[in-house]
Amino acid sequence: MCGLIGIIGKGLDMRKELIEGLEKLEYRGYDSAGIGYVENGQPVTQKTVGQVARLKEKLSSPIKAEMAIAHTRWATNGGVSLENCHPHISEGKTWMIVHNGIIENADELRAELEEKGVHFYGQTDTEVVANLLERTKFVDPIDSIREVLKKIKGSYAIVAINKNYLDRLFIIKNKSPLYFSYDEGSVRVASDTSVFSGKNFISLNDGEFGEINLNNFKLFNKNGKINKKETKLEKTEINRKNNSNYYMIDEIHETIDVFKRINCEYKDLKIFNKFDKLGAFDEIKLIGCGTAYHSCLIGKKYLEEAAMKEINCYIASEFNAEPPKLNKNMLCIFVSQSGETADTLLAVEKARAAGAKTLAITNVPYSTISKKCKAYLPICAGREVGVASTKAYSAQVVIFYMLACHIKGVAPSLKGLISGFKFPDEEKIRELAKKLIKKRELFLIGRGEDYRNMLEAGLKIREISLVNAVALPAGELKHGTLALIDEDAIAIVLQTSQKGMEKVKNTINEISSRGGKVVFVSQFDPPCEVYDSLKLCQVPQKFMPLSSVVTFQLLAFYMTLEKNLNPDKPRNLAKSVTVE
Ligand code: F6R
């Protein structure tokens, strides 16, 4: 949620560095973008509403500064406007800051400051922090930060410039990721390691703050000065195989490589060492948000067969709203591509507090969720930039399968999946997409596992193509929703097992006899006449959800292109939701 970056470096092309950094972070928010630096002793900002590309156009002349900060925003506190665009400068112009997260008590603090005569330009909580820093009047900025930390509540990753200390950046972190990395003659701090080019990076923990300069850094927590170890930076270059314009399509096409990577990485059974150390458990709960939650709905079946226990899945925010009974004999598995999702993180904290065993399944080994859980399994998906999660979903499902094999005591292998997996006919999908975008709503119908997979198909179509695609269990149609079916309705029916063929014929007839059109999606031929059909590739039955989900990811992608929308940057959304 929001991307931020701070850079110190001599002889850098600061304009280029900041824009390139923001472009890499833009998947975290694209409501507005801005940069800030000090020129002739005064803080200067340049900002635009909208995407980084607009800011790039605006910054025509080089930036003559050896230190600068920048931000790309996903609006939370305060609307999408120039006044609310970061960086924010304190009224007395001593502090300039960029911030990710939410200061929960900002309204109270703002009112106190206003009473003291502070004038605010926008509505953000960030401007409140800048003014709190200014008002402390300590000589040492670190003392000011320490003082402000006593007042603010909530989540924050902050990078700040104090105009009286032009050789250093000030950094503060709580419940929102923040890292820094040294490279030849420069240091960068950012909310994401993708902007780093050095060999190592340092990750801040909650409650830590300090200052960094070109040669050194000083970090503190509430107990005093702390030391930090560096982590090796894994290169996360994106595979732009097809030279396409969108990350999403490249990421879908990477799915097969991800399967191969998992197959290879999970040959080393040491990967399960920490999981094995968790010890015995008598219940399993699976927790995630959005797409990650949907992967739990598929993974549940593998684990139920392996552990011979019924397993419940929870949407993390619901788990937090009405926590189930938890105890030390339970295994709670938290699934998250980013490893930073605030709702999932809160659920981890609840499970830990109850003494439950915790396992993280994430794409980022050094993420907060990976670190907070006792054991960790990587999904090996490689960096995912498109806001709509695609290859990560497939990877999460496969990791559940690998874990289930491990629990059963059989060597995990993805042989049948890798050899049988083929991408569907994309021209055919595109033709269908052209017809579907004419509709405001779509009914996505399946039974059992097919229904659960339709939940993910629906999310994908809704979030990027803005068509209201709603998943329904086939048997439920006649219990209410059939009332909506008329000549204008289109339903997509997914059927991936031979077993339910008779029943699916009834479902198709229920829709067709009311004039509705049916698109049949299966590895089999339609059992009766339908409006259209899509053929799935045949993989072993247990992996069919992977064959079907990729088809729906492609359908969502082409529907979005046909509507002239950007699939990588869906309206109102951002990747990595680090606010509750
Ligand atoms: C949808 C999507 C979201 C995420 C959700 C959880 O395409 O990507 O629904 O799955 O925000 O994010 P992570 O997996 O990072 O916890």
Side-chain angles (χ1 to χ4, degrees):
M1 221 76 309
C2 304
L4 56 74
I5 178 167
I7 305 178
I8 314 177
K10 289 193 196 306
L12 296 178
D13 178 346
M14 197 52 99
R15 176 184 174 277
K16 179 169 168 278
E17 294 284 337
L18 293 173
I19 292 294
E20 282 180 3
L22 285 180
E23 281 170 345
K24 287 190 182 143
L25 295 171
E26 200 175 14
Y27 71 96
R28 301 176 68 100
Y30 29 85
D31 288 332
S32 61
I35 62 163
Y37 47 93
V38 174
E39 201 174 73
N40 301 326
Q42 288 307 314
V44 177
T45 58
Q46 301 207 52
K47 306 177 180 187
T48 52
V49 168
Q51 299 185 7
V52 174
R54 284 179 74 179
L55 182 69
K56 190 175 176 178
E57 276 168 27
K58 190 174 170 179
L59 303 182
S60 48
S61 44
I63 295 165
K64 291 193 213 99
E66 290 179 350
M67 180 167 80
I69 54 179
H71 191 264
T72 174
R73 179 168 187 248
W74 184 80
T76 48
N77 249 282
V80 179
S81 67
L82 214 52
E83 309 87 82
N84 291 335
C85 177
H86 299 218
H88 291 286
I89 301 175
S90 60
E91 204 180 25
K93 301 201 185 317
T94 310
W95 288 89
M96 173 163 54
I97 77 174
V98 286
H99 159 222
N100 291 351
I102 294 185
I103 306 298
E104 286 158 8
N105 56 341
D107 288 350
E108 261 165 76
L109 296 168
R110 171 188 286 259
E112 282 170 22
L113 286 166
E114 276 172 340
E115 234 167 65
K116 290 179 188 155
V118 176
H119 170 77
F120 287 91
Y121 295 89
Q123 291 81 44
T124 66
D125 47 355
T126 309
E127 210 185 332
V128 172
V129 179
N131 281 296
L132 284 172
L133 285 165
E134 170 110 22
R135 285 269 158 164
T136 60
K137 300 281 189 231
F138 281 102
V139 177
D140 184 347
I142 291 295
D143 289 333
S144 302
I145 291 172
R146 205 175 272 118
E147 184 66 14
V148 169
L149 287 182
K150 289 183 197 152
K151 296 187 179 159
I152 58 176
K153 292 189 191 132
S155 58
Y156 39 86
I158 293 173
V159 183
I161 291 179
N162 180 306
K163 74 166 184 187
N164 302 320
Y165 297 84
L166 289 183
D167 60 343
R168 67 198 80 173
L169 288 166
F170 296 92
I171 56 178
I172 316 173
K173 171 323 190 200
N174 196 46
K175 296 186 186 164
S176 199
L178 195 60
Y179 312 96
F180 61 95
S181 171
Y182 283 90
D183 195 10
E184 290 150 21
S186 66
V187 59
R188 284 168 182 71
V189 51
S191 47
D192 183 323
T193 60
S194 63
V195 301
F196 299 151
S197 47
K199 289 198 177 76
N200 302 310
F201 69 93
I202 287 174
S203 160
L204 267 73
N205 291 328
D206 288 347
E208 293 178 352
F209 58 96
E211 57 181 58
I212 54 176
N213 66 31
L214 266 185
N215 309 311
N216 223 326
F217 62 88
K218 271 191 236 162
L219 291 177
F220 307 85
N221 62 18
K222 65 177 182 340
N223 302 320
K225 199 158 181 247
I226 52 168
N227 291 321
K228 278 278 179 187
K229 276 201 196 122
E230 290 187 318
T231 306
K232 191 171 173 304
L233 184 71
E234 302 285 337
K235 292 285 175 237
T236 52
E237 280 314 309
I238 314 284
N239 207 351
R240 305 306 305 262
K241 252 196 229 154
N242 299 335
N243 267 339
S244 75
N245 292 326
Y246 298 106
Y247 286 108
M248 185 180 174
I249 190 73
D250 288 350
E251 288 168 358
I252 296 172
H253 286 146
E254 263 185 72
T255 303
I256 184 77
D257 297 336
V258 173
F259 294 157
K260 289 181 189 161
R261 202 177 307 141
I262 296 173
N263 205 32
C264 186
E265 295 282 319
Y266 277 73
K267 282 221 168 81
D268 182 357
L269 293 180
K270 277 200 226 111
I271 211 155
F272 290 108
N273 276 357
K274 283 212 166 143
F275 169 76
D276 292 340
K277 283 195 188 131
L278 290 176
F281 44 85
D282 55 23
E283 222 180 288
I284 306 178
K285 297 194 182 301
L286 309 182
I287 302 118
C289 296
T291 291
Y293 164 71
H294 292 156
S295 78
C296 297
L297 297 178
I298 304 298
K300 150 193 163 83
K301 196 165 156 191
Y302 300 134
L303 290 179
E304 278 178 343
E305 276 168 18
M308 305 221 282
K309 295 180 199 312
E310 204 183 312
I311 292 172
N312 288 323
C313 300
Y314 297 83
I315 294 171
S317 55
E318 290 294 302
F319 181 97
N320 298 331
E322 288 178 2
K325 287 202 178 89
L326 297 165
N327 63 50
K328 61 181 175 31
N329 299 321
M330 273 175 194
L331 169 66
C332 290
I333 305 184
F334 298 91
V335 184
S336 170
Q337 188 283 128
S338 61
E340 299 293 348
T341 302
D343 290 325
T344 312
L345 185 55
L346 184 59
V348 173
E349 270 153 19
K350 286 190 191 290
R352 276 172 52 129
K357 300 172 200 306
T358 52
L359 168 68
I361 297 184
T362 85
N363 203 16
V364 186
Y366 50 82
S367 64
T368 316
I369 292 173
S370 313
K371 286 196 290 198
K372 286 249 156 120
C373 286
K374 274 262 149 50
Y376 162 70
L377 290 176
I379 69 167
C380 312
R383 188 161 165 243
E384 192 178 61
V385 178
V387 167
S389 189
T390 54
K391 60 175 179 167
Y393 171 84
S394 302
Q396 287 156 357
V397 169
V398 170
I399 298 308
F400 276 122
Y401 173 72
M402 300 313 241
L403 177 61
C405 290
H406 182 72
I407 290 174
K408 258 201 288 194
V410 299
S413 164
L414 298 177
K415 248 192 191 157
L417 175 63
I418 292 169
S419 59
F421 190 88
K422 306 251 166 343
F423 286 99
D425 178 349
E426 289 184 38
E427 267 318 302
K428 171 109 177 79
I429 292 179
R430 195 163 188 160
E431 283 312 308
L432 176 64
K434 285 183 190 156
K435 298 182 207 163
L436 298 184
I437 52 158
K438 299 197 178 109
K439 304 286 165 191
R440 274 184 67 84
E441 64 188 358
L442 283 179
F443 301 95
L444 306 182
I445 294 166
R447 248 171 230 280
E449 190 169 63
D450 287 335
Y451 159 63
R452 298 201 299 279
N453 223 14
M454 280 307 215
L455 290 168
E456 173 55 11
L459 177 60
K460 224 68 327 164
I461 294 173
R462 286 197 303 280
E463 71 174 320
I464 61 169
S465 77
L466 312 185
V467 171
N468 187 21
V470 184
L472 274 174
E476 277 292 285
L477 202 52
K478 57 189 173 300
H479 296 291
T481 309
L482 204 53
L484 289 174
I485 302 293
D486 59 15
E487 306 75 51
D488 206 35
I490 292 200
I492 306 183
V493 176
L494 174 65
Q495 179 66 36
T496 61
S497 75
Q498 188 66 56
K499 215 169 101 206
M501 267 311 168
E502 266 315 302
K503 284 210 168 114
V504 83
K505 208 163 144 187
N506 295 343
T507 307
I508 295 171
N509 288 336
E510 277 170 16
I511 300 165
S512 310
S513 57
R514 269 96 191 162
K517 297 183 179 64
V518 172
V519 178
F520 185 71
V521 180
S522 177
Q523 69 274 43
F524 308 114
D525 291 334
C528 52
E529 200 181 321
V530 288
Y531 168 70
D532 207 340
S533 62
L534 290 177
K535 203 56 162 223
L536 299 178
C537 74
Q538 173 82 59
V539 287
Q541 191 62 42
K542 58 181 178 261
F543 295 130
M544 277 312 291
L546 296 162
S547 167
S548 64
V549 82
V550 167
T551 301
F552 288 111
Q553 291 167 352
L554 288 166
L555 182 63
F557 175 79
Y558 285 114
M559 285 172 70
T560 311
L561 281 198
E562 289 299 328
K563 284 184 85 171
N564 281 325
L565 297 170
N566 182 343
D568 284 345
K569 291 181 185 152
R571 184 171 79 182
N572 302 339
L573 299 178
K575 212 165 176 72
S576 188
V577 186
T578 52
V579 292
E580 279 166 43

